[in-house]
Amino acid sequence: MENVYRGHPSPTGQMRDGELIPVSDAAEADTVVWFALPPDGEQAIWEGLSAQSAGQDQVIVRSVPLFAYGLGYGDRVSVIASAEGPLVATAIVERGDHYGFRVWLKNASASLADIVRTYGNMGCFIEGYSNQLVGLSCPSVLAQQVANALATDERAGRLLYETAR
């Protein structure tokens, strides 16, 4: 089976004074942890997320997951070193306080800049992957407000979205 690795091209960001800047926790990430995704035919797929070491055999996720389900920014996970060396997640130990959303812009009327500005100004963390796929993460107190806004934008044809957790 062939391995496919999906890393994230940039650190998680947040809006401050109209600018997208790295989230301070994300800037403290000191490792990458690989999460196994459901296989796709003959391919084993892995998502690499930035993380911060948090004691023996544990890390805190400091990226917004774009492909791994049931996982969120700030979750504490247990890890082991793979035979090749990189860390691999084995279980979620403790949930963080963030809820995630995936936003798909293919054939939609919203631009990436619109999404970053709108949802960044609502308090979401932003994880860019491509011009068509972006991850959003927000504290639980904002999750329903963000979900409602995403649903409204989806009905208007501006985007497609799904919840990550």
Side-chain angles (χ1 to χ4, degrees), residues 3-158:
N3 284 316
V4 175
Y5 300 97
R6 295 180 176 164
H8 290 214
S10 60
T12 303
Q14 65 185 345
M15 293 297 286
R16 289 279 189 246
D17 300 321
E19 276 189 66
L20 187 63
I21 62 168
V23 173
S24 60
D25 289 346
E28 295 174 11
D30 57 3
T31 192
V32 172
V33 176
W34 292 93
F35 292 82
L37 305 176
D40 184 14
E42 292 298 313
Q43 296 181 326
I45 304 173
W46 298 84
E47 182 174 11
L49 299 175
S50 296
Q52 182 179 2
S53 299
Q56 187 171 350
D57 301 326
Q58 292 187 3
V59 299
I60 300 170
V61 175
R62 296 298 185 206
S63 293
V64 179
L66 289 162
F67 305 104
Y69 286 85
L71 181 68
Y73 186 97
D75 286 356
R76 182 182 290 260
V77 299
S78 58
V79 295
I80 59 169
S82 67
E84 295 83 12
L87 294 177
V88 174
T90 58
I92 297 172
V93 174
E94 181 181 349
R95 294 283 183 193
D97 185 45
H98 274 240
Y99 284 79
F101 304 90
R102 295 175 183 87
V103 177
W104 182 246
L105 298 173
K106 187 172 184 174
N107 301 323
S109 65
S111 70
L112 181 59
D114 293 337
I115 300 305
V116 169
R117 184 176 40 258
T118 299
Y119 292 95
N121 286 333
M122 289 178 75
C124 291
F125 291 172
I126 310 291
E127 185 86 23
Y129 187 77
S130 71
N131 287 335
Q132 296 179 334
L133 177 63
V134 63
L136 305 175
S137 180
C138 65
S140 61
V141 298
L142 297 176
Q144 191 59 60
Q145 176 186 356
V146 170
N148 291 346
L150 286 165
T152 298
D153 280 347
E154 185 175 63
R155 282 190 301 276
R158 294 178 40 81

